Amino acid sequence: MPSYTVTVATGSQWFAGTDDYIYLTLMGSEGCSERTLLDKALYNDFERGAVDSYDVNVSEDVGEIQLVKIEKRKYWVQDDWYCKYITVKTPGGDYVEFPCYRWVGDDEEIVLRDGTARLPKDDITQVAKQHRRKELEERQKLYRWMEWHPGFPLSIDAKTCKDLPRDIQFDSEKGVDFILNYTKAMENLYVNRFMHMFQSSWSDFADFEKIFIRISNTISEYVMQHWQEDFMFGYQFLNGCNPVMIHKCTKLPDKFPVTTEMVDCSLERNLTLEEEIKEGNVYIADYSLLDGVSANSTDPCTIQYLAAPICLLYKNLQNKVLPIAIQLAQTPGENNPIYLPSDEKYDWLLAKIWVRSSDFHIHQTVTHLLRTHLISEVFGIAMYRQLPAVHPLFKLILPHVKFTIAINTKAREQLICECGLFDKANATGGGGHVQLVQRSMKQLTFSSLCFPEEIQMRGVESKEELPYYFYRDDGNMVWEATKSFVSDVVNIYYDSDETVKTDVELQAFVKDVYVFGLNGNEDLGFPKAIMTRDKLIEYLTVIIFVASSQHAAVNFGQFDWCSWIPNSPPTMRRPPPTEKGVVTINYIIESLPDRGRSCWHLGAVWALSQFQENELFLGMYTDEHFIEKPVKNAMQQFRKKLDDICSIIKERNKNKKLPYYYFSPDRIPNSVAV
């Protein structure tokens, strides 16, 4: 009587084990085994982290094992089980691997394919084709598109995390509960005593130190010490939390009538402003997206304000980028003066504070929320709907969308919803953030998600012209390493452009992203179909880079750069001044957030800057969805390139007062999960 040895691995996360009955059926080319209860006498099967082996006897050879069916039947109470993988040893001594990495619920059955990745054309048997089709039909019932707000990218149809399919829920809800995490953050930062003091102003800048936790040799402390300096202000456009706003200025816009006479004392090359622009020494940051956005009015006791400033920046002879002119509104006029470094100290300082506050709003809502969180969710939903688990692109993308749909659902439930945490401290709360996303959708082009293209679109690609732009330099290294890895994997499975063209599941995935996820908006330039290997490599590189590296670069520096409140105010309580010479220190303090909102802000940026427990960083693929050696070799080469990048960044950062490490691969989680 032929005997098969079946090895079953249970996940090591909390509550992964089960006491329920687990049945297994081997489905081969010549027949099926009997339904077998996997159970050992006097042994606790399927404990968390366990790897258990069982003998399955069959009356006759079932042929080549094609599928494994797992059934779970309730023993007592609800007891979900996380199955990592199943390995079958045949009577001939061969091993067949069946990756699972899924939760199995009460009275549920799942049918697994072996781990060899296959394109649709590779499946020739009816059994294999039917399994592919049935899996996608079931998934499309679970993963449904929903419009959360008009004009937004579509999201998952779920009101709460509990409504999500079990496989994409967090292992522990506590870890991603925003209310719990913010409360914990404020306890850790010892700011609870200020939380009731909404509307109560700080007395001066030094007073902010009461909620500022000093940690030796950190960026946040350096920011606190130097935030008023023009160098620190300009440096943040290159390597701060939102290093995507700086554009090369090729011509001054009519709405920003700066003259040489205004800025002559800031120019160091004995050239006119127009000549400096032609030489490539002038840059601009324009916050026009904020023009007309409604400020937060959820608290009738505190009127809050927004501005849409324009800032002119100059690269001096030391290659430092410094501000030389700021206008706080988009329309020039007598009531909208252009502020200059030569103005009174507090006039100039408040103008810079307004730019920093506006930068915070664009960062949170556009750079961070829309351009990493929401777009990654679109890719994730489309993947689950259109790519079966056996598809190589499903295996490639899956680690980079892990928990993304869950974290976004939790954000819609607690953070950015009506009366959510976002309303408590941010001037774009109460609906302004929704308007901001809707306005910025037209800028969410596919080319703007391709890192090198986005850098070129802003005219900041030259290392010679802009030598200390570490965001650009490190981002290019990680992009190229990611693209090389993706290229290796694509070339393993797609031997020609024709193979790409005829992959119906790939084309359905790309179409789902375009038609549903992005509402069929042609202006965004997302492909409706992919016809070549090169375009497929670019598309997949965008998915992986945005979800991992780009998110890390704009998320994990939030405490470093935003914890010192005057450097990154989440709201302003007085309107922008309309004339020069009226600003005093008291005027600035009364403009900055009150004590209560400052504490909420500090708790938020601390919580958002923390890595998850047991974080998996870029290149770490602990779940072995791929079993083929060529792909494992590609992963190994990817990790080697990432290690080399880590070494380059570490060496450059030595002895720097302001190290830049947000693109260091050992600090880049695989997916958007915080």
Side-chain angles (χ1 to χ4, degrees), residues 350-369:
L350 182 58
K352 290 190 293 181
I353 289 173
W354 266 108
V355 172
R356 293 296 310 139
S357 182
S358 301
D359 192 79
F360 173 82
H361 297 306
I362 295 294
H363 166 261
Q364 288 291 349
T365 305
V366 181
T367 308
H368 183 204
L369 174 62

Side-chain angles (χ1 to χ4, degrees), residues 142-145 154-161 163-165 167-170 176 178 372-385 398 400-413 671-674:
L142 290 174
Y143 297 85
R144 302 175 305 277
W145 294 107
L154 295 196
S155 52
I156 195 75
D157 185 9
K159 291 183 179 178
T160 70
C161 278
D163 299 330
L164 294 172
D167 286 328
I168 61 170
Q169 292 181 25
F170 278 98
V176 290
F178 288 109
T372 63
H373 278 258
L374 299 186
I375 191 61
S376 292
E377 181 175 4
V378 167
F379 292 132
I381 296 170
M383 180 204 73
Y384 279 110
R385 287 172 53 81
L398 181 61
H400 301 287
V401 296
K402 188 175 184 181
F403 299 140
T404 299
I405 299 173
I407 195 68
N408 286 0
T409 303
K410 182 61 76 172
R412 287 186 288 270
E413 185 184 347
S671 64
V672 177
V674 64

Side-chain angles (χ1 to χ4, degrees), residues 97 99 101 115-118 390-397 399 485 489 492-493 621 623-632 635:
E97 298 177 51
Y101 303 103
T116 304
R118 295 180 180 86
V390 73
H391 199 292
L393 300 189
F394 178 89
K395 295 170 182 278
L396 177 65
I397 296 170
F485 167 60
V489 175
I492 290 169
Y493 297 101
Y621 299 109
D623 291 354
E624 295 191 37
H625 294 279
F626 283 108
I627 66 169
E628 297 96 317
K629 192 170 182 180
V631 184
K632 292 186 176 183
M635 290 176 176

Side-chain angles (χ1 to χ4, degrees), residues 544-562:
I544 294 172
F545 184 86
V546 167
S548 56
S549 309
Q550 186 63 30
H551 177 258
V554 301
N555 179 75
F556 291 103
Q558 291 188 74
F559 187 78
D560 288 345
W561 295 100
C562 303

Side-chain angles (χ1 to χ4, degrees), residues 267-313:
L267 307 180
E268 299 182 357
R269 295 176 175 86
N270 294 318
L271 301 174
T272 66
L273 179 58
E274 290 73 19
E275 290 169 338
E276 292 278 17
I277 290 173
K278 287 180 182 177
E279 289 291 315
N281 298 320
V282 180
Y283 298 86
I284 193 167
D286 189 347
Y287 296 88
S288 58
L289 276 174
L290 283 161
D291 191 28
V293 169
S294 304
N296 192 340
S297 59
T298 57
D299 181 359
C301 298
T302 302
I303 301 175
Q304 301 178 58
Y305 297 91
L306 292 167
I310 313 171
C311 180
L312 204 64
L313 300 153

Side-chain angles (χ1 to χ4, degrees), residues 342-354:
S342 56
D343 288 339
E344 294 291 331
K345 174 183 176 181
Y346 291 127
D347 281 347
W348 181 235
L349 181 59
L350 182 58
K352 290 190 293 181
I353 289 173
W354 266 108

Side-chain angles (χ1 to χ4, degrees), residues 14 43 95 119 129 134 149 166 192 201 227 239 248 282 285 397 425 427 431 507 630 638 650:
W14 288 105
Y43 178 76
Y95 287 86
L119 299 175
K129 290 178 180 179
K134 186 177 179 183
H149 281 292
R166 183 66 180 91
N192 280 347
S201 296
W227 71 281
N239 302 309
K248 178 178 278 189
V282 180
I397 296 170
Q507 302 303 337
F638 185 34
K650 186 177 180 182

